Amino acid sequence: MSGLTPGLALAQAAGGTPAVPPPPAAAPAQPAAAAGSNVFNPDISVIANFVAAAGKNPNAGERSLQLREVELSFRSVVDTYARADFFLAASPEGVEIEEGYITFTSLPGSLLLKAGKLRAQFGKVNTLHTHAVPTADRPLVTQHLVGGEEGISDSGLSLSRLVQNPLAFLEATAEVFSGDSAVFQSDQRSKLNYVGRLRAYRDLTESANLDLGGSVAWGPTNVGPDANRRLIGVDATFRYRPLRRAIYRRFQARTELVWSRQDLPGAPAASAFGLFGLAEYQFARRWYIGGRLDRSERALDPDLRDSGASVFLSFWPSEFSQLRGQYRHTRYGEGRRANEFLFQLSFGIGAHGAHVF
């Protein structure tokens, strides 16, 4: 799901929203209704993600019944120059800051600066919170090469700018992180993790649009002394939503390709490649059906290549809840196979701002 306003439905509607809107004009320090009793309160929401799993998976797999995560978000304008967003994730492993950053929206040169802990702008899936992923699990390429559920999420700085041109919405982003994520690890202050991304968005017709992106990331890892890792990603998203039947019909197709090169001590570097393709079609007001194909080598052992296929059906009883069933077949590089059925229930309360498209 992507975000809605309010609640989970924000996620569903976010399909056509540009990723990062142009920096708004200086916002008022407080809303106009300054006399209101809630003027100093941020937007607060709670979203729960419950997953049930059936079938066998010899390599891994979810528990039979699990409240996978509860996300608490607090979002508000800080002052005339900035806004703040905090996302806390509670899971059986504990409570952590999923994201917590300030965004300076009034910098010169139309720059947008974020500081704090944030998910890196590498591809599409890495930027999504768990409840916003369009399937009950993340693609194999994300799990093997981009850190899985945790992904590249770290303390750092993110600077982005819209590049004016007549052809498309073009955004360039440069980020630097401390090197403390599921992908990059640093034991020295001087060894940092860097991420760069260029994204182009264009309306093809009044009902269709195309989003293309390219990402790079590099930094140290804990595989060995002076071991580094480099990632290159390419992603594309096509969306069709007829204006006259926008609440009943929608089609979205997405793919993401990732290359990884990992230094190994005393051995040649390991190069791995993975990709996924996903398509989702809305055939009624509250119903969606889709499928996903996965293929990915493993970062430290590229000779092992996993592949999989999933089909899923989603139902939205309201904008605050969602039910999803997913059949997943996986073939692992060791020759093992897994057939599983995942059931996902997501529900939320409160005002939850839109996520990035």
Side-chain angles (χ1 to χ4, degrees), residues 115-136:
K117 182 180 181 183
L118 54 155
R119 299 186 75 91
Q121 294 294 314
F122 184 90
K124 287 287 189 181
V125 177
N126 185 70
T127 64
L128 299 177
H129 292 181
T130 299
H131 67 86
V133 176
T135 51

Side-chain angles (χ1 to χ4, degrees), residues 77-268:
V77 170
V78 175
D79 53 28
T80 304
Y81 310 103
R83 68 172 188 266
D85 300 85
F86 296 93
F87 301 92
L88 307 180
S91 69
E93 287 73 37
V95 179
E96 65 171 359
I97 301 174
E98 186 167 11
E99 289 191 287
Y101 54 85
I102 185 171
T103 304
F104 295 97
T105 58
S106 302
L107 297 179
S110 300
L111 294 170
L112 196 71
L113 176 64
K114 295 180 180 179
K117 182 180 181 183
L118 54 155
R119 299 186 75 91
Q121 294 294 314
F122 184 90
K124 287 287 189 181
V125 177
N126 185 70
T127 64
L128 299 177
H129 292 181
T130 299
H131 67 86
V133 176
T135 51
D137 61 342
R138 293 184 186 256
L140 287 175
V141 62
T142 304
Q143 298 178 35
H144 290 349
L145 304 183
V146 198
E149 207 70 50
E150 298 297 325
I152 308 175
S153 176
D154 196 359
S155 297
L157 300 171
S158 175
L159 186 66
S160 61
R161 187 182 190 281
L162 298 181
V163 181
Q164 299 293 336
N165 70 90
L167 300 178
F169 168 94
L170 190 63
E171 180 191 42
T173 302
E175 301 180 319
V176 58
F177 298 98
S178 68
D180 183 21
S181 68
V183 180
F184 300 101
Q185 295 85 36
S186 173
D187 56 2
Q188 298 180 28
R189 289 181 177 178
S190 59
K191 293 184 177 180
L192 301 173
N193 159 214
Y194 302 93
V195 177
R197 176 169 172 78
L198 185 64
R199 176 196 173 217
Y201 171 94
R202 182 181 173 84
D203 288 330
L204 302 177
T205 68
E206 63 179 13
S207 302
N209 54 64
L210 181 64
D211 190 318
L212 301 174
S215 311
V216 296
W218 68 96
T221 66
N222 59 2
V223 173
D226 298 322
N228 292 291
R229 187 170 175 190
R230 293 160 288 274
L231 295 174
I232 299 175
V234 177
D235 59 86
T237 303
F238 169 79
R239 192 183 77 116
Y240 173 73
R241 194 165 196 168
L243 291 181
R244 292 184 179 181
R245 298 180 60 80
I247 64 173
Y248 298 101
R249 295 288 184 272
R250 188 187 72 163
F251 174 77
Q252 181 168 289
R254 173 174 294 177
T255 186
E256 193 164 332
L257 299 81
V258 179
W259 289 266
S260 167
R261 185 174 176 83
Q262 168 68 63
D263 292 339
L264 298 176

Side-chain angles (χ1 to χ4, degrees), residues 267-289:
S271 297
F273 170 73
L275 77 163
F276 78 88
L278 181 147
E280 185 181 42
Y281 177 65
Q282 180 187 3
F283 61 92
R285 182 164 184 172
R286 303 187 185 282
W287 290 91
Y288 295 78
I289 189 170

Side-chain angles (χ1 to χ4, degrees), residues 264-335:
L264 298 176
S271 297
F273 170 73
L275 77 163
F276 78 88
L278 181 147
E280 185 181 42
Y281 177 65
Q282 180 187 3
F283 61 92
R285 182 164 184 172
R286 303 187 185 282
W287 290 91
Y288 295 78
I289 189 170
R292 191 188 71 208
L293 296 176
D294 291 294
R295 185 182 179 89
S296 179
E297 298 164 343
R298 303 182 193 179
L300 297 179
D301 193 352
D303 291 334
L304 293 177
R305 179 185 301 133
D306 301 335
S307 60
S310 297
V311 292
F312 55 91
L313 179 67
S314 302
F315 173 64
W316 292 72
S318 73
E319 62 185 34
F320 297 100
S321 62
Q322 182 195 48
L323 301 167
R324 175 179 291 134
Q326 177 179 343
Y327 167 74
R328 180 176 67 186
H329 173 75
T330 309
R331 290 184 295 178
Y332 292 102
E334 298 90 344

